Amino acid sequence: MGRYVIRRLLQMIPVFIGATLLIFLMVNVMGDPIAGLCGDKQCDPATAAQLKKEFGLDKPVWQQYLTYMGHVFTGDFGTAFNGQEVTELMADAFPVTIRLTLVAIVFEIVIGIALGVVTGLRRGRPVDTGVLLLTLVVISVPTFVTGLLLQLLFGVEWGWIKPSVSPDAAFGELIVPGLVLASVSLAYVTRLTRTSIAENKRSDYVRTAVAKGLPRRRVITRHLLRNSLIPVVTFIGTDIGALMGGAIVTERIFNIHGVGFQLYQGILRQNTQTVVGFVTVLVLVFLVANLLVDLLYAVLDPRIRYA
């Protein structure tokens, strides 16, 4: 296990460098960031040259990337064009998005897996058909439609929640936004769990456990569910980074000033330092989440051992 962890950590290095390089190049071709600093009017050549020199944009792209990565390894993600440190923006945005992501993940695990187990054990019955139709509807409806609908019903018509989240963004205020953020992923988790349960239900080891006279609850929890969760854990692990980076629509609807909000503002204002800094951290989240998922395989399935 120790060798496997070391090998995976070493593999993460080129992946991290390649991903950040690609992001850095893509962000730098979005447009001229200096033009956004001057507003609607075009910058005069002297001011544009001074601003480019100040932010290091007068250097070649490869040199800008090397300089940026050198600063990243010291914990310096640069300065936004408004003069605020990117690390300060991260300190304000990431705790909010992490809380929102935790709420969404809880919905995925509790509701998604529970519905998947119920429908997988009752495949072909009315409850199975009903849940499949419901998840298909959830997947088909865009997130912004779901978010606006729940905001209108719960926040405006019924008054159960505030239409917009306060700057503190407590867990209680993030329940409905978390449900909106997790809605599509929750539907996929339900369908994935259902399929995995239904397939493993016909496996020889399950039949053997039933033939031995083991209680039904033990057969489901210790044998059937444990092996069926492997693809589900894979999906949820990779979905963590996607939820944190893909919350732009949800955060805009409920006025949540998290990572999605900062990325939207950075793209809108062509603030390369902000966009690259936030996406760099999201790349690290993806890599760490994938590593943890691989390590969980050995816990869920005793047949898997990493040498």
Side-chain angles (χ1 to χ4, degrees):
M1 181 71 76
R3 293 181 179 179
Y4 174 76
V5 174
I6 294 174
R7 187 166 65 249
R8 282 302 310 273
L9 290 174
L10 292 176
Q11 291 174 355
M12 287 169 59
I13 296 175
V15 174
F16 174 73
I17 294 175
T20 52
L21 176 60
L22 180 61
I23 293 165
F24 193 87
L25 294 175
M26 292 178 63
V27 171
N28 274 272
V29 299
M30 288 193 312
D32 185 10
I34 299 301
L37 291 175
C38 299
D40 296 332
K41 298 181 179 180
Q42 187 176 2
C43 294
D44 61 88
T47 303
Q50 183 180 356
L51 290 174
K52 287 183 178 181
K53 183 177 181 180
E54 180 180 351
F55 291 102
L57 300 177
D58 57 335
K59 301 177 182 178
V61 176
W62 65 268
Q63 192 172 350
Q64 294 181 39
Y65 174 75
L66 293 179
T67 303
Y68 172 76
M69 291 303 296
H71 291 161
V72 165
F73 287 115
T74 61
D76 181 13
F77 287 87
T79 305
F81 291 154
N82 60 359
Q84 189 174 7
E85 296 288 336
V86 177
T87 51
E88 295 180 5
L89 297 176
M90 291 180 180
D92 294 333
F94 268 99
V96 176
T97 299
I98 288 174
R99 290 197 294 271
L100 179 62
T101 303
L102 288 176
V103 174
I105 291 295
V106 169
F107 277 120
E108 285 188 30
I109 294 175
V110 176
I111 300 179
I113 294 179
L115 289 177
V117 171
V118 171
T119 53
L121 294 175
R122 293 170 174 79
R123 187 172 184 178
R125 298 184 182 181
V127 63
D128 179 34
T129 305
V131 171
L132 285 179
L133 290 176
L134 179 61
T135 54
L136 183 60
V137 171
V138 172
I139 294 172
S140 303
V141 177
T143 304
F144 70 88
V145 175
T146 305
L148 291 173
L149 179 62
L150 294 184
Q151 185 186 51
L152 176 63
L153 292 178
F154 294 159
V156 179
E157 296 293 336
W158 300 337
W160 293 356
I161 64 171
K162 296 180 180 179
S164 61
V165 176
S166 65
D168 295 335
F171 276 107
E173 298 179 281
L174 296 176
I175 292 178
V176 174
L179 179 60
V180 173
L181 180 62
S183 57
V184 176
S185 298
L186 189 154
Y188 281 120
V189 168
T190 300
R191 298 172 74 93
L192 187 59
T193 306
R194 169 194 175 271
T195 302
S196 186
I197 289 287
E199 290 179 355
N200 289 326
K201 186 180 177 182
R202 300 190 297 267
S203 301
D204 292 337
Y205 67 89
V206 175
R207 295 176 180 174
T208 302
V210 174
K212 287 182 178 179
L214 295 178
R216 176 179 173 84
R217 181 178 179 182
R218 186 176 180 183
V219 172
I220 294 175
T221 57
R222 293 291 299 274
H223 298 278
L224 179 59
L225 184 59
R226 190 170 183 177
N227 290 328
S228 300
L229 283 181
I230 291 179
V232 180
V233 168
T234 303
F235 177 84
I236 294 177
T238 55
D239 196 42
I240 293 176
L243 290 176
M244 293 184 65
I248 297 178
V249 175
T250 304
E251 292 185 0
R252 290 290 295 171
I253 292 174
F254 293 95
N255 194 32
I256 301 173
H257 290 193
V259 173
F261 175 82
Q262 294 296 342
L263 283 174
Y264 173 79
Q265 293 295 327
I267 295 172
L268 188 66
R269 299 172 182 175
Q270 297 181 359
N271 198 329
T272 56
Q273 294 288 346
T274 302
V275 176
V276 174
F278 273 85
V279 177
T280 298
V281 176
L282 291 177
V283 169
L284 288 174
V285 172
F286 268 105
L287 294 176
V288 173
N290 286 333
L291 176 61
L292 294 177
V293 166
D294 289 344
L295 296 179
L296 280 175
Y297 287 164
V299 177
L300 293 173
D301 192 343
R303 295 171 299 179
I304 300 176
R305 290 294 181 266
Y306 296 118

